[in-house]
Amino acid sequence: MITTHSDYVIEQFNNFVRLNSISQDCLDQFNYSQEDVLNHEDISIYTFKKDSKKQYIAEKIDINETGFDEETFSPISEELYDESD
């Protein structure tokens, strides 16, 4: 289990899922091995949403063979930026 607010980490997870759909030659070309490949059925991704009581609720994010929608995390990044600004 990991937690992150990093767009880079999130995008890399998507890349690892997408590796499942490319040939071994392409994996070799980009210096990846089968150990780097993630099957979307083997992982779960959650985001935590604030409810009306200022508690956080875990919501599962849909993921398929092309990964998951990174836009889910954009509002979180923007909120953190606004808070630090």
Side-chain angles (χ1 to χ4, degrees):
M1 179 186 294
I2 68 164
T3 63
T4 187
H5 292 288
S6 169
D7 293 338
Y8 299 113
V9 171
I10 291 166
E11 183 59 36
Q12 189 60 44
F13 269 103
N14 264 347
N15 289 341
F16 288 143
V17 170
R18 290 179 188 128
L19 290 176
N20 218 357
S21 64
I22 64 172
S23 69
Q24 185 62 49
D25 288 339
C26 285
L27 287 175
D28 294 342
Q29 178 182 354
F30 293 105
N31 296 319
Y32 286 113
S33 72
Q34 283 298 322
E35 293 174 353
D36 297 315
V37 175
L38 286 177
N39 185 327
H40 73 280
E41 295 176 349
D42 294 337
I43 61 174
S44 297
I45 300 171
Y46 294 85
T47 186
F48 291 85
K49 302 276 185 166
K50 205 181 285 188
D51 74 3
S52 60
K53 299 174 187 173
K54 296 190 178 185
Q55 296 175 338
Y56 289 88
I57 306 297
E59 291 183 2
K60 191 170 184 176
I61 295 173
D62 292 331
I63 185 168
N64 59 36
E65 58 278 343
T66 61
F68 57 93
D69 182 13
E70 302 98 21
E71 292 300 317
T72 303
F73 293 92
S74 294
I76 296 166
S77 297
E78 290 171 14
E79 183 180 321
L80 289 171
Y81 174 79
D82 290 343
E83 185 177 306
S84 69
D85 190 36

